[in-house]
Amino acid sequence: MFTTINYECHEGISWIKLNRPDKLNAFIAEMNREITHAVRQAAKDEEVRCIVITGEGRAFCSGQDLAEVNDDTNHGDLLRNHYTPMVKAIMACEKPIIAAVNGVAAGAGFSLALACDFRLASEKASFINAFVNIGLIPDSGNLHFLSHLVGRAKAIEISVLGEKIPAQKALELGVINRVIPQDTWQKEVEEFASKLAKMPTKAIGLIKRYLTLAENLPLDAYLEKEAEGQRIAGLTKDAKEGVQAFIEKRQPEYIGQ
Ligand code: T3D
C-alpha cells in the first residue's frame, strides 16, 4: 500500500503518479522508497510492458522537500540512501520508462525525468536545475544524463544558471522527446505508452542495457558485447514473430517474451 504515490496497472502499462500535490510532489524519503519499490514491482510484473511516471496536480516534481532538510542533514547519505536506489532501479528496469512531465520538474524532479528513457512534456511543463539556487550541485545522476543529452556547454549553462527552461526550449536543446498540447495531453501520453507496451519488450530492455554499454566502452569491446546482446534478442519469441510476420507480409503481434 503506497502513501506518497498512486500506482495503477492496466493494459500492459504501469502508472506511477507522484502524489504530494500541495508540495508540488516534492520528495520525502518515503516517496523515494515508494517510487523505487513501484519501479521494481513493475519490472518484475510480466503483465507490465511499459511504465509511466507522472505527477498529480499541477507539477511533475519540485525536487527534495526543503522543509525536511536541516543543519543535521548529511546530504551525501540522503543521496546514497534514498535517491541513488531510485535512479538505479530505473536504470536496471529492462522495460521502457516514460517521464510524463505534466508541470514543473525542479531539482531532483528534473533528475528523475532525466533518468527515464523518454520525456514527454506538456506545453505547460518546465525544467529547472534548481540545485545551484540553494547552493547544491545537481544530483541523482543529473549531470551524467544531462551532459550526454545536450553536451557539456549546455549542461553547464543549465546547471550553473539554474533558470526555468520552458518545454519548447527543452525540446530544442534535446532534453526531451516531445511537447504535447494541454488539450490532448492525456490521450497522447496514453497512445505513446500503449505503442511501447505492444512492442518487443525484451528488445527494448536490451537496447537500454546496450546503450549504456555503448556510452561507456571502447568500440572494439562494445562490438563484442553487442554480438552477445543480439544473440539473446534473437532467441526471444518476439524476434521469431518479427521475422515470421515480415515473411508472411502481416503485422507482427509481439507478446513481450
Ligand atoms: O540533501 C539534499 O537536499 C540533496 C537532495 C537535493 C535534491 C533537490 O532536489 S535540491 C532542489 C530542491 N528544489 C528546489 O529548490 C525547488 C523549490 N521550489 C521552487 O523553486 C518553486 O516552488 C517552483 C519553481 C518549483 C514552483 O514555483 P511556483 O511559484 O509554481 O509554486 P510555489 O508557490 O513556489 O510552491 C507551491 C507550494 O509548494 C508552496 O507551499 P505553500 O506556500 O503553498 O504551503 C511551496 O513552499 C511548496 N514547495 C514547492 N517546492 C517545494 C515545496 N515545499 C518543499 N520543498 C520543495 N522543494
Side-chain angles (χ1 to χ4, degrees):
M1 185 65 191
F2 296 113
T3 58
T4 64
I5 62 169
N6 289 327
Y7 183 82
E8 301 159 18
C9 291
H10 35 88
E11 292 169 27
I13 304 163
S14 144
W15 295 83
I16 298 172
K17 298 180 181 174
L18 315 190
N19 190 26
R20 301 187 70 231
D22 294 349
K23 299 287 178 193
L24 305 189
N25 300 319
F27 285 109
I28 50 173
E30 187 60 10
M31 195 162 92
N32 292 115
R33 269 194 296 274
E34 290 190 351
I35 296 168
T36 307
H37 184 81
V39 169
R40 287 183 183 148
Q41 186 173 316
K44 273 191 279 180
D45 185 340
E46 285 188 6
E47 299 296 310
V48 173
R49 293 172 63 188
C50 178
I51 298 163
V52 182
I53 302 180
T54 191
E56 298 281 14
R58 72 178 172 94
F60 177 70
C61 174
S62 61
Q64 169 64 35
D65 188 324
L66 297 176
E68 302 277 307
V69 175
N70 58 45
D71 288 351
D72 295 331
T73 302
N74 179 325
H75 295 271
D77 284 347
L78 188 60
L79 294 181
R80 283 185 202 97
N81 296 334
H82 303 297
Y83 287 92
T84 301
M86 181 180 78
V87 173
K88 285 189 171 177
I90 291 170
M91 294 306 289
C93 175
E94 296 209 330
K95 294 176 182 177
I97 306 186
I98 300 168
V101 184
N102 52 304
V104 67
F110 188 5
S111 311
L112 172 63
L114 289 172
C116 295
D117 304 311
F118 298 91
R119 280 158 295 287
L120 309 182
S122 143
E123 62 188 349
K124 285 186 174 173
S126 58
F127 300 83
I128 313 174
N129 240 3
F131 306 86
V132 73
N133 301 333
I134 53 168
L136 294 177
I137 66 167
D139 62 30
S140 310
N142 184 299
L143 290 177
H144 176 90
F145 297 123
L146 191 61
S147 59
H148 276 97
L149 286 171
V150 302
R152 186 181 173 108
K154 285 296 172 193
I156 198 158
E157 183 180 333
I158 292 166
S159 305
V160 169
L161 299 184
E163 293 171 346
K164 181 185 275 199
I165 303 167
Q168 190 57 40
K169 177 75 181 167
L171 182 67
E172 286 158 20
L173 284 166
V175 172
I176 63 174
N177 300 92
R178 57 186 73 169
V179 180
I180 297 176
Q182 194 51 36
D183 51 2
T184 53
W185 169 245
Q186 189 61 32
K187 180 172 161 286
E188 287 198 47
V189 171
E190 280 173 16
E191 280 172 2
F192 192 80
S194 178
K195 179 183 168 77
L196 291 178
K198 292 188 176 79
M199 292 181 70
T201 313
K202 299 276 184 212
I204 296 176
L206 287 164
I207 290 169
K208 280 184 75 164
R209 196 196 304 174
Y210 281 82
L211 200 48
T212 305
L213 290 173
E215 285 170 349
N216 292 299
L217 289 176
L219 182 60
D220 276 358
Y222 174 71
L223 288 173
E224 189 43 45
K225 292 276 181 195
E226 177 195 79
E228 176 58 8
Q230 195 67 298
R231 186 189 71 80
I232 297 167
L235 291 172
T236 62
K237 289 182 180 162
D238 281 343
K240 295 186 198 323
E241 164 65 5
V243 174
Q244 195 63 30
F246 179 82
I247 301 293
E248 293 171 8
K249 298 188 187 303
R250 60 172 172 81
Q251 285 301 311
E253 284 187 33
Y254 294 120
I255 57 171
Q257 291 170 23

